[in-house]
Amino acid sequence: MKGICILGATGSIGVSTLDVVARHPDQYRVVALTANGNIEALYEQCLAHRPEYAVVANENNLEAFKAKIAGSAELADLKVLAGAEALQTVSTLDNVDAVMAAIVGAAGLLPTLAAAKAGKTVLLANKEALVMSGQIFMQAVKDSGASLLPIDSEHNAIFQCMPAGYITGQTAKQARRILLTASGGPFRSTPIADLDTVTPEQAVAHPKWDMGRKISVDSATMMNKGLELIEACLLFNMDPDDIQVVIHRQSIIHSMVDYVDGSVLAQMGNPDMRTPIAHAMAWPERFDSGVAPLDIFQVGHMDFEQPDLQRFPCLRLAYEAIKAGGIMPTVLNAANEIAVDAFLNEQVRFTDIAKIIERTMAEFKPDSADTLERVLQADSEARIVSQRMIADIVA
Ligand code: NAD
Ligand code: MG
């Protein structure tokens, strides 16, 4: 029986994880659930899954959560913690074996890194944490002997296509290239001139995947693929030039590995995050995820296209950031988080997102990112600079 802590339990990945956990009560026990704002959902999840701990990350919501559970005799033994530090407390508990890192954005870094340092099995959905702290994060995993298993569907697919016995962080020598697939998002064929006026609602309406708002906007700009490119470089120890992004709009192949003998291995399946979640939770075995079998005849055919970097400048910026190295991926990620937030709050246009990131990156040099302090400093400085870029655009 393994104990699991789910960071970001109330989000899209958190909910899918609990769905998988509920199918395997003989193998997984929920030790801790965390949420930021959605107290109602956290309460319902606590009733259904009976964790030992619940963490309300945003302390302002603690009283409301306590008031909710006060009336439930079933939750009398629930230990309730609050605040960002409590996320680290629960991600390193002795009876936690696996940590699902499903908080969105930089807020997930410290509890995910703490889990890695504590030698836990880290089920990594929170790509921003890895992108912003790449070198430190991968070193922490190596030093502690933690297992790092990718949840992002593409990286989970690549991991599944790696040679037997492969562990993340190694270079698979016979693998010459990774083909990283992308759906192309909702604006794959929208006239470029129309992108100026797209609304947040249009941007979050993804054609293939049902996800949180931030990653949905990232998919529309293709910054999601940019972050995934950086994520792939780190997880699989590959050069960015050996990773080719491929637009595959059916989202049936979740990525491929091209080997020196000409074999190209792909992992396929319906676009449902419960597959990579169940894969990582059962690894090295497999178990049921609840996902329907793929109907290959209904898929019929599959298309592949080159991405257009004019249409998707965010993808170009991600290539530039990883090639520059040092703090540049941290800066890219921070500027993107600020710009996406401003777009969702209707302060800036969709096409301003890439401009804000590019102008922010231009203010930084690729200084070393080898300590957590440097990473956190670059993250906060980049946030300040991108707010200034937004103010310039709005003015
Ligand atoms: P979401 O917005 O649906 O959920 C985010 C979760 O994080 C919620 O539980 C929320 O309460 C919590 N949270 C938000 N801000 C927080 C803060 N400041 N402190 C603590 N907790 C906070 O997001 P999602 O779509 O589930 O994505 C989660 C992560 O997984 C992201 O990093 C995303 O890139 C990655 N991911 C998601 C998908 C997907 O299909 N949804 C696929 C691949 C990777
Ligand atoms: Mg993905």
Side-chain angles (χ1 to χ4, degrees):
M1 187 67 118
K2 290 180 191 159
I4 189 167
C5 161
I6 305 179
L7 301 171
T10 53
S12 160
I13 293 288
V15 168
S16 293
T17 304
L18 284 170
D19 181 281
V20 175
V21 167
R23 291 166 198 277
H24 302 285
D26 53 325
Q27 296 195 43
Y28 274 94
R29 192 171 70 82
V30 179
V31 176
L33 297 176
T34 86
N36 200 44
N38 196 342
I39 293 313
E40 181 64 37
L42 182 63
Y43 170 69
E44 295 295 336
Q45 291 181 338
C46 288
L47 280 178
H49 298 277
R50 301 299 171 85
E52 220 176 291
Y53 289 86
V55 177
V56 178
N58 182 341
E59 273 155 319
N60 297 331
N61 298 319
L62 177 62
E63 288 316 311
F65 184 67
K66 281 192 168 161
K68 279 206 88 63
I69 60 168
S72 312
E74 304 99 303
L75 298 180
D77 294 335
L78 179 68
K79 295 174 195 137
V80 179
L81 306 177
E85 294 219 342
L87 298 169
Q88 296 181 55
T89 308
V90 293
S91 75
T92 56
L93 288 168
D94 282 344
N95 58 347
V96 163
D97 303 288
V99 174
M100 170 56 77
I103 289 175
V104 58
L109 174 61
L110 295 179
T112 307
L113 188 60
K117 285 184 176 160
K120 305 296 185 191
T121 295
V122 179
L123 312 174
L124 185 75
N126 180 201
K127 64 193 89 186
E128 297 92 343
L130 181 63
V131 167
M132 69 186 283
S133 73
Q135 199 187 336
I136 297 163
F137 194 92
M138 294 308 291
Q139 192 61 46
V141 168
K142 207 170 167 185
D143 292 346
S144 72
S147 295
L148 176 59
L149 300 172
I151 296 299
D152 214 342
S153 56
E154 296 76 5
H155 305 76
N156 183 271
I158 296 161
F159 183 68
Q160 292 199 47
C161 295
M162 284 296 185
Y166 175 81
I167 56 171
T168 47
Q170 292 178 339
T171 303
K173 288 200 185 63
Q174 292 79 9
R176 64 182 165 197
R177 231 169 23 135
I178 284 175
L179 300 169
L180 185 68
T181 57
S183 70
F187 308 133
R188 188 179 55 84
S189 45
T190 306
I192 292 183
D194 295 354
L195 293 179
D196 259 353
T197 53
V198 303
T199 64
E201 291 328 303
Q202 291 170 316
V204 299
H206 196 276
K208 292 287 173 195
W209 297 93
D210 181 14
M211 311 179 287
R213 284 167 73 78
K214 191 263 177 182
I215 183 175
S216 298
V217 175
D218 286 348
S219 297
T221 60
M222 279 193 85
M223 180 55 94
N224 183 49
K225 213 48 55 181
L227 297 174
E228 290 183 357
L229 164 82
I230 300 173
E231 185 184 9
C233 291
L234 293 160
L235 288 175
F236 308 114
N237 204 16
M238 291 275 271
D239 194 277
D241 287 331
D242 295 329
I243 301 177
Q244 171 68 54
V245 174
V246 181
I247 298 203
H248 162 47
R249 64 187 148 93
Q250 290 85 3
S251 297
I252 295 298
I253 291 181
H254 301 304
S255 282
M256 300 173 249
V257 178
D258 177 6
Y259 284 92
V260 289
D261 62 1
S263 300
V264 177
L265 302 194
Q267 185 264 1
M268 302 196 282
N270 285 315
D272 185 322
M273 289 306 293
R274 290 176 302 172
T275 294
I277 291 168
H279 171 267
M281 283 177 61
W283 184 82
E285 306 291 324
R286 289 185 188 266
F287 61 30
D288 173 42
S289 65
V291 176
L294 178 65
D295 182 345
I296 201 93
F297 300 112
Q298 210 194 337
V299 174
H301 72 276
M302 295 192 271
D303 297 294
F304 305 101
E305 297 162 33
Q306 295 252 17
D308 174 356
L309 297 184
Q310 294 287 121
R311 172 182 294 277
F312 297 116
C314 286
L315 184 55
R316 168 177 59 79
L317 294 171
Y319 269 103
E320 288 173 13
I322 185 70
K323 286 186 179 181
I327 59 168
M328 295 315 285
T330 317
V331 171
L332 171 96
N333 178 67
N336 181 56
E337 286 191 29
I338 296 293
V340 170
D341 209 46
F343 168 67
L344 285 171
N345 292 323
E346 301 186 44
Q347 282 175 277
V348 300
R349 288 175 299 192
F350 181 75
T351 44
D352 290 330
I353 295 173
K355 289 180 197 155
I356 294 162
I357 301 165
E358 184 151 25
R359 290 177 195 173
T360 302
M361 284 171 67
E363 302 279 309
F364 289 83
K365 292 194 307 294
D367 295 336
S368 159
D370 58 356
T371 66
L372 185 59
E373 291 65 36
R374 289 199 183 114
V375 164
L376 295 177
Q377 192 189 348
D379 176 74
S380 59
E381 285 174 7
R383 283 167 199 269
I384 293 167
V385 173
S386 40
Q387 294 286 12
R388 203 175 79 217
M389 299 303 167
I390 292 171
D392 288 350
I393 285 173
V394 172

